[in-house]
Amino acid sequence: QVFQDHDGFIWVATRNGLNRYDGYQFRIIKHDSRLKSGLASNYVNCMMQTRKGLYYIGLYGALQTYDGQRFRDITSYDLNGRIHPPYVTCLLERKNGDILIGTSGLGLMKLTKNNEAHQIGGKLANVMTVQRMMEDNRQRLWLVTESYGLLCYDGKTVKGYFQSEQEIGMVRDICQDHEGRIFVGTANAGVFLLDGDTPRHIEGTGTKHVSTLYPNRRGHIMIGYDGLGLAIYNPQNGHLLDNPYYSREVDLSTSKVYSICEDVNGNVWLGLI
């Protein structure tokens, strides 16, 4: 994952440590077993910063906070109250301040006031793997799951999309543009617009494998493909532009784009595999 924090620094979560770019050089943070307050693992999946400035870091087997100086562990509990190290896949701060943690194996978790993370039960108890999540402008929670397709939870009821036998497991990402339109990226089926209750396929995305979606400041949807580079979709006129960027160092048109971030200066950062 690549993201920009409140101070303008670029953070890169990798499977070989956590990196911070200050505009001049990268600082590489790695796990050191001699440090009690250090990074728990070099396998970093995701990271976010809350509105109050605290960082949350999702790792393979751990969830931590970082205040700029120290890393602190958060203890995770399953539905039976047992401590269970999480495999964190995604993080979200809701508009009401709740911190949600998506995992593989423990489903959806929520941070409590005593800095513990507890698995959410109820209507979401059977969801074991949450790959991505989003809160829309109506404060509904959207979950990209491994076994239940795409779920929309309004706090009372759960509604599912892409749940047929052929569609289960195909959803990869979800985003909402400035006008409230919701887009869904899939594996081997391109991009869909959720128009009411009916997903409408975006012409031109075909059967491409979508890894990530990102709404940029112009209101366009940036589409990261697994092996076919990047595309930009304009919802206003339906125009789709494939691979608008050029690099002498790598063939972007055949790249696996797994993370997209636009910084405050308009630069586009691409996390590639």
Side-chain angles (χ1 to χ4, degrees):
Q1 181 194 3
V2 185
F3 92 102
Q4 187 173 39
D5 69 14
H6 302 338
D7 297 317
F9 294 112
I10 299 293
W11 292 85
V12 187
T14 81
R15 294 179 180 178
N16 194 23
L18 181 63
N19 307 270
R20 190 188 77 164
Y21 181 64
D22 61 8
Y24 299 95
Q25 61 185 356
F26 280 95
R27 176 194 175 197
I28 303 174
I29 304 172
K30 292 228 178 168
H31 168 68
D32 187 339
S33 59
R34 297 169 298 180
L35 299 177
K36 293 184 178 180
S37 60
L39 190 65
S41 167
N42 285 331
Y43 202 123
V44 188
N45 285 324
C46 53
M47 186 175 178
M48 78 166 188
Q49 187 180 26
T50 66
R51 289 185 286 273
K52 294 182 178 180
L54 185 64
Y55 300 96
Y56 283 81
I57 304 159
L59 306 104
Y60 179 77
L63 172 65
Q64 292 187 297
T65 60
Y66 180 60
D67 60 7
Q69 295 181 335
R70 296 185 58 183
F71 294 87
R72 291 180 171 87
D73 296 334
I74 293 176
T75 306
S76 299
Y77 296 86
D78 64 16
L79 290 176
N80 297 314
R82 296 173 300 198
I83 295 177
H84 198 301
Y87 182 101
V88 182
T89 56
C90 51
L91 298 160
L92 175 69
E93 181 183 22
R94 301 200 66 174
K95 295 178 177 63
N96 64 5
D98 286 348
I99 304 296
L100 299 183
I101 303 104
T103 75
S104 175
L106 288 173
L108 185 65
M109 308 189 78
K110 180 180 176 181
L111 193 77
T112 60
K113 292 182 179 179
N114 52 355
N115 283 332
E116 297 175 348
H118 290 262
Q119 185 177 357
I120 294 177
K123 295 182 181 297
L124 299 175
N126 292 328
V127 177
M128 291 293 102
T129 298
V130 177
Q131 298 164 325
R132 301 286 178 93
M133 55 184 164
M134 178 193 79
E135 183 180 19
D136 67 17
N137 57 10
R138 294 165 56 185
Q139 297 186 26
R140 296 177 300 177
L141 182 65
W142 294 80
L143 304 176
V144 176
T145 74
E146 185 177 63
S147 303
Y148 294 92
L150 176 65
L151 300 179
C152 178
Y153 181 54
D154 63 6
K156 297 180 180 179
T157 60
V158 178
K159 186 170 185 177
Y161 301 83
F162 300 95
Q163 292 186 317
S164 70
E165 185 177 349
Q166 295 78 19
E167 295 172 331
I168 286 293
M170 69 182 284
V171 179
R172 289 294 179 267
D173 203 1
I174 183 171
C175 75
Q176 186 172 43
D177 70 6
H178 305 323
E179 301 298 324
R181 291 175 286 245
I182 293 177
F183 295 87
V184 180
T186 69
N188 304 319
V191 179
F192 291 82
L193 168 65
L194 276 185
D195 190 5
D197 292 334
T198 305
R200 178 169 62 84
H201 189 256
I202 301 299
E203 186 178 357
T205 62
T207 59
K208 295 177 180 178
H209 187 132
V210 177
S211 300
T212 187
L213 300 173
Y214 184 86
N216 67 17
R217 65 179 66 187
R218 298 180 63 189
H220 300 164
I221 305 300
M222 306 185 77
I223 306 167
Y225 293 122
D226 184 349
L228 293 172
L230 180 81
I232 299 179
Y233 177 69
N234 185 344
Q236 300 293 337
N237 57 22
H239 183 253
L240 183 72
L241 179 63
D242 284 322
N243 290 299
Y245 304 127
Y246 170 77
S247 170
R248 289 178 295 179
E249 298 180 359
V250 62
D251 183 0
L252 289 176
S253 65
T254 61
S255 294
K256 298 183 178 184
V257 182
Y258 272 69
S259 183
I260 304 170
C261 175
E262 183 181 27
D263 67 24
V264 294
N265 296 317
N267 300 307
V268 175
W269 295 75
L270 303 177
L272 310 179
I273 290 185

